Amino acid sequence: MRPGLRLCWLRLHRWVALAFGWVLVLAGLLGSLLTVARPLDQWAHPALFRQQAQVAPTAASAPLDAVRARLAASFGANASYTFRPPREPRDTLWVYVHGAWDGIAYFDREGRELGRRGETEGAYNLLFELHSSLLLGETGQAILTTAGVTYVFLLVTGLVLWWPRRWPPSFRV
């Protein structure tokens, strides 16, 4: 490769990396914080995540149709719901609601609502939204996707730029 073209390519490589790198660094740091934020959020708000009374493993749970009917009455027929069932005996039922209101509704095993949280309410939800879309919705997701694809391109071009010209002798100690 000609020295002038290589120097131009190196400068372009550096400035593109600096322009998009901060986005991926931010997403990475926020992703790391998410691993700590979930347990802290559950510790700070036990009423939403853990049932106060010990539930017997054989206790009958409320039918999901009754919970769904209650949600439809509250959020409308056009809302969609994703159910996250309890994973341990004292866990609560989480229902992700998408419609006029986006967030999570928490229910105990009898189908009583324990509380609601909007998409960006609470530290964990805010961190998650920052991590996944930079609080910009689909635009933020597009920015993160562009930054990721750009960095894959930079990885490949970086290998080409820094690959030794005489590679077999270069790998000897």
Side-chain angles (χ1 to χ4, degrees), residues 4 20 29 37-38 41 48 53 62 72-73 79 85 98 103 107 114 121 124-125 135 141 147 153 155 173:
F20 283 96
L29 289 174
R38 170 67 56 95
D41 192 29
L48 294 176
H98 299 286
F107 293 87
L114 301 173
E121 290 178 33
Y124 178 81
N125 291 349
L135 290 177
Q141 290 174 348
F153 176 74
L155 176 68
V173 178

Side-chain angles (χ1 to χ4, degrees), residues 124-153:
Y124 178 81
N125 291 349
L126 181 63
L127 281 174
F128 181 78
E129 286 301 313
L130 267 170
H131 171 72
S132 63
S133 66
L134 303 174
L135 290 177
L136 298 173
E138 290 182 12
T139 304
Q141 290 174 348
I143 291 169
L144 288 168
T145 302
T146 302
V149 169
T150 301
Y151 258 76
V152 169
F153 176 74

